[in-house]
Amino acid sequence: MQLGSGTFAACCVAIEVLGIALFLRGFFPAPVRSSSGTKHQAELPAPEPAAGSSSNWTKLPPPLFSKVVIMLIDALRDDFVFGSKGVKFMPYTTYLVEKGASHGFVAEAKPPTVTMPRIKALMTGSLPGFADAIRNLNSPAVWEDNILTRAKAAGKRILFYGDDTWLKLFPKHFVEYDGTTSFFVSDYTEVDDNVTRHLDTVLQREDWDVLILHYLGLDHIGHISGPSSPLIGRKLSEMDSVLMKTHSALLAQEKRTHSPTLLVLCGDHGMSETGGHGASSPEEVNTPLLLISSAFERKPGDVRRPAHVQQTDLAPTLAVGLGLPIPAHSVGCLLFPVVQGAALREQLRFLHLNAAQLSKLLRENVPSYEKEPGFEQFKMSERLHGNWIRLYLEENNSEVLLNLGSKVRRQYLDALRTLSLSLSRQVTQYDIYSMVVGTGMVLEVLALLLLSIPQALGSKAKLDVPLWSPVSSLLFYLLLLVLLAIHVTVCTSAESSCYFCSLPWLAAGGVMMLISALLCAVLSALTKVSVDVQHPSENPGHSKSKWSDVELLVILGTVGHAMSLGASSFVEEEHQTWYFLVNTLCLALCHEAYRTCFLGADGEPPCCQPTEAGWDGKPHCDALELGQACRSPASLDGPQGRDRWLVLASPWLTLTCCRLLRALNTTGVQGAHRPGLGHWLASSDHRAELSVLAALSLLVIFALVQSRCSRASKVAMALGLLSVYCYRAAIGSVLSAWQQDDTDISKGIVEARFVYVFVFSILFMGTKDLLKSQATAATSRVRARGLWEIHSGLVLLAALLSRPHNLPVLVSSLAIQAVMAKFIWKPLRHEAAEVTVMHHWFGQAFFYFQGNSNNMATVDVSAGFVGLDTYVAFPAALLTLFATYTGPVLWASHLLNFLSSEAGSTALSRACFCYALVCSLPACAYIILVTSLRYHLFIWSVFSPKLLYEGTHLLVTAAACVLFTAMDQTHTKP
């Protein structure tokens, strides 16, 4: 059976997506969900070290605090409290830090620094898996042992107000609650007012034990305008007032009840310099942790500098403070200053409970636990503790008892730190079997794509795909039996859970059949290639005696980029790789343009003449086809007159434009701390400049896209771009004549929805033209107009979702596309494969020009809520995905328009194949590199986020290939 190159590539990428998904499921295994919490609640606490049965403490110590209030401010950075902003905007909090009865810490949040896994870390004391970043949008219930479950079992009444993520994680734990949607980032006022409005009544009541307040406004401001926004200061002042009100009410209760309370001020994660979070920069992982209680005596002149601790240390500290057992899976250490005021025996008791819990967790997870330094330190501390107890029970109050007690305390603190570090460093249990199966599928697909290049890029752009011969061969059944035997062996002997083994046998068998069929197809293709190499005269194909400079560059650049992903620095600074490749491509195109315009291959001037009008209505050479005989510069018609100089200037214009865009958004690890031009424009002091730039950019966008649209689409585009500016003015990003001050700022929902109406209108008109060209004998002009209108609709959507300072990036993208199409790809007659790779390169470069990087903090989640008044999961995820991958999507859309301009051309089918190949190569190489580097120091902070980006990019590639194939089928249909 013969398949077109595009159809074959689309099928291959779809299989590759399945393989990548299986690999990701194995690399990011889901935490084990079980009801083990009830078992732990039934266990007795570890008894005090042996000191005689009559006097030994076997029960938990009484609670230290009668009430606990946890005030969690989302995205609260440590410098917002302990730095200059804290002094300026949070005076009451600063007073408590410097002179009040409090203990301040800088708590480190492990990546991924997103809300859901950080809440789990605070309440369970464990380290959530990196896959929790994916599940952050749909938080499942927590079944691990945690503080709230323990408190509920102990009969404590828990109240909650704030982010409804808590309600999903801990259902049926709160006797009173009021949740707010955490993902509607345009709202930073009501989302906090809905929390504060409960305080006046709740703080006067005494029928609760634990109160949790989760404020989201600060995080939403960061997503909208970054940490330098003047709104940050106002929000910090508001939070300072809430803290003062809460603390004053607790002090009043203490006077009535004569029992101390605890107020905890903390953040779940920080905020990067761009306002996002999710990665591992210091601004994102360092959060303040302030414990406030009248029990913390402070002498005049006592200066307490914030010590660095782990975020997981809060769980055992809260457990001790509430008189609860420490959560079984906690890897945190008790914050010793909290119990420092207790008697020495109680201090040692608290430390022993924590150390015993950590040592038990170590025994359950490390086979050679006895050789661990922390376990040895714990045993030594326990023996010394037993000796101290014996001296204490003998009523020996000598200096020896005091010195020995101090030594035991130091030993316990050292053991706790070592045990916690050992447990934190325990590598996640990878699902190796699922990873191997997924990697095998991806490798087979890549091998099949590589071996199919001669046929896929041949003159017919078709492949002979024997669908039934692999299935009917003996080799297929032998491979299937071997794979099934391996599957049964692995699944019956696996000591840990395996996702692939948990699949139904029918699904697992189907995957095994697919792997066997792919392997047979690879062997068949390899045999055919070997025969073609041995008998080249019998199988003439597309071949060249000499590679051009551009062809060598695209091959070496694509392979070199894939190989560079094995180094963490190249992953962190991948934008530099793409900038280098695009700049080098411009220089190579400049060299080719000079050679074409002035010299032939043999030093003779070019000779041929231009032919009929091309895709843009201007005279060009013949249709873009792969494998034409007149590819060499000697046979090209060099542009004459003014066109010649425009051809020569185009690469330099593109190079200059790319260099200017690099200064707009600084990205990567090395440049993230350096403010770029975008930071300057986004600041409130330069709204006038940003407004002028945004207005000019929208005008240029209209000028670039309107020429090939229908009259109705032009009107819709003009009104849509006007609505984009109105939307930005409504939310306060740019200035407008009808806004007198900031009090007129709204969410811009109406304006954004107007833009959506115009987007859908343009897409509808484009789709109508495509269907018309397919159903009737319409001209190719109608089809080309339909494709361009779809492209224009995507451009309008990109203009809406882009930040105002990023509109010049969109303008530059459209301008470079127009210049390259008119003055480079057509006049220089580049082949479809070359044009495809160039589009891919520019798409990747513009991905980083937008300000994106390979860490999750640069994902602009606010784009997912443009025009939405409530959180709706699917539209929000789709809009965020489009906003993140605007560059690659728009360049793929332009490639579709460019190659569809010639009727009967097979270039589109070849382009689909090349696009699938160049996107599959780095994805395949990266999963192999990540598997080999899975024990690397930066596996979670650097390599894992990039793996998620690669998987998502491959999904976008699959969607593009499906669209290419659909357009190719309608394009070639008689």
Side-chain angles (χ1 to χ4, degrees), residues 839-921:
H839 274 80
H840 172 68
W841 282 17
F842 276 108
Q844 290 299 104
F846 274 88
F847 173 82
Y848 293 102
F849 285 146
Q850 293 174 236
N852 292 318
S853 69
N854 282 330
N855 70 58
M856 299 176 64
T858 54
V859 176
D860 183 13
V861 297
S862 64
F865 306 93
V866 174
L868 302 180
D869 54 1
T870 58
Y871 171 64
V872 186
F874 182 74
L878 194 62
L879 291 174
T880 303
L881 180 66
F882 180 82
T884 304
Y885 288 92
T886 295
V889 169
L890 289 184
W891 278 88
S893 175
H894 183 269
L895 176 65
L896 178 62
N897 275 271
F898 181 73
L899 296 181
S900 299
S901 59
E902 299 296 335
S905 173
T906 57
L908 192 59
S909 185
R910 298 190 189 93
C912 182
F913 181 87
C914 291
Y915 195 74
L917 182 60
V918 296
C919 293
S920 299
L921 181 61

Side-chain angles (χ1 to χ4, degrees), residues 48-52 55-56 345 348 384-394 401 404:
E48 202 172 33
S55 302
N56 196 6
R345 186 180 184 184
L348 298 182
L384 290 176
H385 190 185
N387 295 334
W388 186 89
I389 290 295
R390 282 191 289 271
L391 289 175
Y392 179 83
L393 293 178
E394 292 173 2
L401 183 66
L404 180 59

Side-chain angles (χ1 to χ4, degrees), residues 728-785:
R728 288 298 171 185
I731 64 174
S733 299
V734 296
L735 299 175
S736 64
W738 59 87
Q739 278 187 342
Q740 302 300 323
D741 50 40
D742 288 344
T743 58
D744 295 330
I745 293 176
S746 67
K747 299 177 184 178
I749 294 176
V750 175
E751 294 84 351
R753 289 180 176 177
F754 267 110
V755 181
Y756 287 136
V757 170
F758 294 126
V759 168
F760 285 120
S761 299
I762 296 173
L763 293 177
F764 172 78
M765 286 182 279
T767 305
K768 183 189 69 173
D769 286 340
L770 286 178
L771 295 176
K772 181 180 178 181
S773 66
Q774 179 67 15
T776 64
T779 63
S780 59
R781 182 183 296 274
V782 175
R783 184 175 185 276
R785 187 179 64 194

Side-chain angles (χ1 to χ4, degrees), residues 18 480 484 487-488 491 499-515:
L18 178 62
L480 181 60
L484 289 176
H487 181 71
V488 172
C491 294
Y499 173 73
F500 192 62
C501 292
S502 66
L503 292 177
W505 277 97
L506 187 61
V511 172
M512 293 300 176
M513 292 179 64
L514 180 61
I515 293 175

Side-chain angles (χ1 to χ4, degrees), residues 112-394:
T113 48
V114 292
T115 297
M116 189 269 280
R118 302 281 44 91
I119 293 176
K120 291 176 64 176
L122 288 168
M123 293 295 104
T124 66
S126 61
L127 296 174
F130 203 91
D132 286 316
I134 307 172
R135 293 193 294 271
N136 189 51
L137 295 175
N138 186 21
S139 309
V142 173
W143 295 104
E144 294 94 339
D145 194 17
N146 62 83
I147 292 293
L148 297 185
T149 302
R150 295 282 189 179
K152 180 185 176 185
K156 297 187 180 295
R157 295 173 58 83
I158 311 171
L159 309 183
F160 171 76
Y161 307 102
D163 184 357
D164 60 1
T165 302
W166 291 76
L167 304 180
K168 300 174 185 176
L169 293 175
F170 307 103
K172 301 180 181 180
H173 281 64
F174 309 110
V175 296
E176 186 178 313
Y177 59 85
D178 184 10
T180 56
T181 302
S182 59
F183 296 106
F184 186 54
V185 297
S186 298
D187 176 23
Y188 52 83
T189 304
E190 294 181 11
V191 73
D192 287 345
D193 293 343
N194 288 335
V195 178
T196 306
R197 65 189 174 93
H198 296 281
L199 292 183
D200 290 333
T201 56
V202 169
L203 293 176
Q204 301 302 320
R205 292 158 41 189
E206 297 184 3
D207 60 344
W208 55 270
D209 301 291
V210 179
L211 172 63
I212 302 174
L213 310 171
H214 189 146
Y215 286 92
L216 290 163
L218 186 70
D219 177 67
H220 291 184
I221 293 173
H223 284 299
I224 294 171
S225 53
S228 301
S229 170
L231 297 174
I232 292 288
R234 279 181 252 169
K235 181 57 67 174
L236 291 176
S237 298
E238 178 188 341
M239 294 296 99
D240 189 59
S241 301
V242 172
L243 182 74
M244 182 172 64
K245 175 189 292 188
T246 306
H247 187 223
S248 301
L250 291 177
L251 290 177
Q253 283 199 16
E254 288 183 7
K255 291 181 181 179
R256 295 194 300 268
T257 60
H258 303 288
S259 58
T261 59
L262 176 65
L263 173 58
V264 180
L265 174 67
C266 61
D268 54 346
H269 52 73
M271 181 189 302
S272 70
E273 290 301 324
T274 59
H277 54 86
S280 57
S281 67
E283 294 81 10
E284 294 167 80
V285 301
N286 290 333
T287 65
L289 177 59
L290 187 62
L291 306 180
I292 307 165
S293 176
S294 58
F296 305 148
E297 297 181 357
R298 191 167 192 169
K299 299 178 181 178
D302 183 6
V303 179
R304 298 174 179 175
R305 299 187 180 279
H308 282 261
V309 298
Q310 296 298 314
Q311 201 176 57
T312 52
D313 295 341
L314 182 62
T317 305
L318 288 178
V320 168
L322 291 169
L324 304 172
I326 297 174
H329 302 297
S330 170
V331 298
C333 299
L334 172 67
L335 297 175
F336 182 71
V338 174
V339 300
Q340 199 168 11
L344 183 56
R345 186 180 184 184
E346 292 178 349
Q347 293 179 23
L348 298 182
R349 174 64 171 153
F350 293 137
L351 294 173
H352 176 256
L353 287 172
N354 194 187
Q357 175 262 325
L358 290 177
S359 65
K360 179 180 179 182
L361 191 61
L362 187 73
R363 287 197 303 269
E364 293 174 350
N365 289 273
V366 181
S368 57
Y369 65 91
E370 295 180 347
K371 299 180 181 179
E372 291 288 329
F375 188 78
E376 296 175 357
Q377 289 178 327
F378 166 66
K379 287 301 182 183
M380 175 67 71
S381 304
E382 204 171 37
R383 287 194 294 269
L384 290 176
H385 190 185
N387 295 334
W388 186 89
I389 290 295
R390 282 191 289 271
L391 289 175
Y392 179 83
L393 293 178
E394 292 173 2

